[in-house]
Amino acid sequence: MDKAWSRHTVTPASWLVSLPDACIAELDDVVAKLRTRPSPVEHLAPEDFSLGGCAAVMAQVRDKLEHEVGLAVVDRFPVERYELDENRALAWLLARMLGQVVAQKWNGARIYDVKDTGQVLGYGVRRSITNLDLPFHTDGGWLWMPPAFVGLYCLQSGQEGGISRFVSLVTVHDELRRRHPDLLARLYRPFAWNRQAEHGEGDPPFARKPVFEHDGRALIGRYFEDYVVSGSELAGEPLDDEGRAALAAMRSIVNDPEHWVEFRIETGQFQYLNNREFAHSRTAFTDTAGGPQRHMVRLWNRDEGTPHLEGQLST
């Protein structure tokens, strides 16, 4: 399938993956074992259990991520029958089937809760832990190598709002090449990116990365205009005119509804996307006071380097 799709060339059938009863039975068995012999989540490995059915499902997910639309939504896991720690363990095991699960924070945390914590947005407070809207972005764009895949295991969908949108950066790249070839070249040169306070003490708070690069096999996209704008401020380097124009041209294409699809991630669904070929966003959401709170468990996969946040191997 062409990775340069528009909202008119894909349908839910392009990304949905059904969950067979055999896989659910395997997960029930995993939970039963963990209830008798608890183990730290990050010590668990798929090969420790009989998960052939689930492995087949995740193979379908990988195929969609690497060779098809770049997005997969597995529907659906019976999250309501498991405790929070049990759901975390299941999400971890499923994510491990797609490769190395890596840290999302400098402290090494590899399992990240996406929910409204009540914190006020500011330096070091990501929008993902507020109920604010999230503009189109890729995860970890400031890193040495952004995660290849990003998974969201939905424990509870939002009561109101929280609509997810997805756009192909391959489409965006092709449109830029057609409309603004001169500005596309600027996006292949580095910008200063805000590191979101996820770095060692004394390290610079920004990193220099391009929006687009090619690794010899495929296009790699990194997109979060807010992080580039704030990164240039942290670096004390105002954005150059060409860079500002290139980002504005890209924004107009990314935000065009003709180029994206949208839906709400429902309770029990496990969504995965190709983070180097996609940008995604989320509308603001509201939780019901005293009622269920929107909660996703997020996992990052990257086979390059080590599991650390900045996992580049020494050369």
Side-chain angles (χ1 to χ4, degrees):
M1 181 177 181
D2 187 358
K3 296 296 187 74
W5 52 263
S6 71
R7 71 183 305 158
H8 302 293
T9 62
V10 293
T11 67
S14 304
W15 58 76
L16 284 173
V17 177
S18 60
L19 189 67
D21 291 341
C23 181
I24 296 174
E26 290 172 356
L27 299 178
D28 286 343
D29 188 56
V30 169
V31 170
K33 287 181 169 62
L34 293 177
R35 286 175 179 173
T36 58
R37 298 184 62 183
S39 177
V41 169
E42 294 183 4
H43 292 180
L44 301 176
E47 55 268 26
D48 296 336
F49 305 92
S50 298
L51 291 170
C54 290
V57 169
M58 298 309 289
Q60 292 182 62
V61 169
R62 177 180 288 278
D63 194 52
K64 287 188 179 293
L65 297 180
E66 293 184 336
H67 306 299
E68 298 184 22
V69 67
L71 170 68
V73 178
V74 184
D75 188 41
R76 83 168 192 86
F77 295 90
V79 295
E80 64 280 351
R81 73 173 65 164
Y82 310 129
E83 299 297 328
L84 175 58
D85 287 347
E86 294 164 353
N87 274 308
R88 289 174 186 271
L90 298 180
W92 168 268
L93 288 168
L94 294 163
R96 280 284 308 273
M97 294 178 184
L98 294 178
Q100 178 175 246
V101 178
V102 300
Q104 302 179 50
K105 295 183 67 63
W106 188 255
N107 65 12
R110 290 193 278 177
I111 300 177
Y112 183 94
D113 291 303
V114 177
K115 61 180 182 179
D116 182 16
T117 63
Q119 296 184 65
V120 177
L121 183 67
Y123 184 66
V125 177
R126 301 187 199 177
R127 295 180 81 93
S128 55
I129 58 172
T130 74
N131 65 350
L132 302 173
D133 68 295
L134 270 165
F136 277 108
H137 66 283
T138 55
D139 280 18
W142 71 90
L143 296 172
W144 154 71
M145 184 62 72
F149 306 143
V150 171
L152 284 175
Y153 184 85
C154 183
L155 301 177
Q156 177 63 56
S157 60
Q159 300 302 301
E160 183 179 335
I163 304 298
S164 297
R165 293 172 177 156
F166 307 88
V167 64
S168 166
L169 290 179
V170 180
T171 299
V172 174
H173 183 274
D174 288 355
E175 284 295 307
L176 283 165
R177 183 168 54 193
R178 183 175 67 84
R179 302 182 197 180
H180 307 285
D182 53 332
L183 295 178
L184 177 59
R186 173 62 184 93
L187 297 172
Y188 274 85
R189 300 199 302 271
F191 292 87
W193 284 70
N194 187 337
R195 296 176 71 183
Q196 286 293 288
E198 299 292 352
H199 55 78
E201 186 176 354
D203 290 344
F206 61 90
R208 298 188 187 279
K209 301 296 174 187
V211 171
F212 289 117
E213 58 185 313
H214 202 283
D215 67 357
R217 297 176 296 108
L219 179 74
I220 296 177
R222 308 166 184 257
Y223 183 69
F224 202 159
E225 187 172 354
D226 287 0
Y227 284 8
V228 172
V229 171
S230 59
S232 67
E233 294 172 354
L234 289 170
E237 303 169 359
L239 268 174
D240 58 285
D241 290 343
E242 187 182 17
R244 189 178 299 107
L247 289 170
M250 186 171 182
R251 184 193 327 126
S252 69
I253 296 170
V254 167
N255 288 340
D256 185 343
E258 291 296 305
H259 296 139
W260 45 255
V261 296
E262 68 176 3
F263 55 84
R264 190 172 82 152
I265 307 173
E266 300 294 346
T267 301
Q269 290 184 330
F270 197 3
Q271 169 209 292
Y272 250 103
L273 59 82
N274 186 322
N275 187 58
R276 299 175 188 171
E277 294 181 353
F278 263 62
H280 58 288
S281 72
R282 181 199 73 203
T283 64
F285 67 89
T286 302
D287 287 322
T288 302
Q293 307 293 294
R294 186 181 190 273
H295 188 180
M296 315 280 175
V297 175
R298 191 176 71 190
L299 301 113
W300 283 359
N301 293 90
R302 185 194 66 228
D303 284 340
E304 301 94 343
T306 73
H308 303 293
L309 185 68
E310 293 283 1
Q312 187 171 14
L313 296 170
S314 300
T315 56

